[in-house]
């Protein structure tokens, strides 16, 4: 505070508000004086816009519902009550946001194998606005990237029954399928079963072949029941170890 003649000048730090107490003393030429105490109240104004602090790029696994809690700050005092909303973006209709907490969620969990974003590249775009409810807002564009999970079990497509001539080793080509993306590398194993020891899986140039270890002889069957019907169980596995037998 400074006294300039009969004018009292007060200076406050930007953004400050509240109450200040000032004591003034007036003295005459004879030395007599009088004091008076003044209280100055500084009223706050809404001079700052809220700012969203959450990073622009968000990553979320497929099949999840919750994405992230959008955070924001406002320098105004007293503390502002902030409200969140989705205001734009080509994929905005696929999301909802809690107005109070800022929790951003999918309306329907994203499926990596079946993208629903506008350009089908698993990057979903939206714009979020934060409002201090006193006339100031700000927005931020977000990109939500969906990452794949190994959520599909491979299946064997090869026929369950194969007929082969005696004195040959090749039985069939083993074929499997897996709906996961990126594409999985499939491998085949023979499980412990009635005639498992009579077979092996040979991999050549990326193709799995089921073969006899020793060519069968119709006149001298070596299957467990001695009826020339050989039984075995085959397991298919993907890169992450998910499996199914047949």
């Amino acid at each position: 505070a400074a006294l300039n003649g009969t004018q009292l000048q007060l200076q406050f730090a930007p953004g400050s508000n509240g109450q200040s107490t000032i004591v003034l003393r007036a003295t005459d030429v004879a030395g007599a004086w009088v004091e008076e105490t003044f209280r100055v109240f500084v009223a706050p104004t809404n001079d700052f816009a809220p700012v969203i602090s959450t990073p622009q790029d968000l990553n979320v696994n497929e099949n999840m519902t919750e994405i992230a809690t959008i955070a924001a700050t406002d320098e105004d005092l007293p503390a502002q009550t902030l409200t969140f909303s989705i205001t734009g973006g080509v994929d905005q209709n696929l999301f909802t946001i809690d107005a109070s907490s800022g929790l951003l969620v999918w309306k329907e969990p994203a499926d990596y194998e079946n993208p629903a974003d506008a350009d089908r590249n698993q990057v979903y775009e939206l714009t979020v606005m934060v409002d201090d409810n006193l006339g100031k807002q700000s927005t931020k564009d977000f990109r939500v990237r969906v990452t794949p999970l190994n959520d599909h079990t491979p299946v064997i497509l090869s026929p369950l029954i194969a007929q082969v001539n005696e004195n040959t080793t090749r039985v069939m080509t083993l074929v499997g399928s897996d709906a996961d993306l990126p594409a999985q590398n499939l491998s085949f194993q023979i499980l412990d079963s009635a005639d498992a020891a009579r077979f092996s899986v040979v991999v050549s140039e990326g193709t799995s072949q089921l073969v006899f270890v020793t060519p069968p002889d119709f006149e001298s069957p070596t299957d467990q029941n001695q009826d020339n019907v050989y039984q075995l169980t085959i397991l298919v596995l993907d890169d992450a170890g998910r499996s199914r037998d047949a």
Side-chain angles (χ1 to χ4, degrees), residues 100-152:
S100 299
S101 69
L103 179 62
L104 180 66
V105 301
W106 298 103
K107 289 182 179 178
E108 295 291 339
D111 181 359
Y112 188 88
E113 288 75 31
N114 296 285
D117 57 298
D119 47 9
R120 299 297 192 268
N121 66 349
Q122 293 293 5
V123 179
Y124 296 74
E125 300 176 19
L126 74 154
T127 302
V128 174
M129 182 177 74
V130 60
D131 192 326
D132 66 7
N133 299 296
L134 293 172
K136 292 189 181 295
Q137 311 87 23
S138 67
T139 62
K140 190 168 188 177
D141 296 331
F142 286 93
R143 294 186 295 263
V144 181
R145 287 181 168 83
V146 177
T147 54
L149 294 175
N150 186 39
D151 57 342
H152 294 279

Side-chain angles (χ1 to χ4, degrees), residues 46-103:
N46 187 41
D47 51 352
F48 294 100
V51 177
I52 296 175
S53 56
T54 302
Q56 182 182 44
D57 291 306
L58 304 173
N59 296 306
V60 60
N61 288 334
E62 64 172 323
N63 305 327
M64 303 294 289
T65 300
E66 294 186 5
I67 300 169
T69 297
I70 306 302
T73 58
D74 191 319
E75 293 184 45
D76 283 310
L77 291 176
Q80 306 292 303
T81 298
L82 304 181
T83 301
F84 298 89
S85 60
I86 297 172
T87 58
V90 293
D91 302 308
Q92 62 175 304
N93 292 331
L94 302 177
F95 303 88
T96 61
I97 192 168
D98 186 279
S100 299
S101 69
L103 179 62

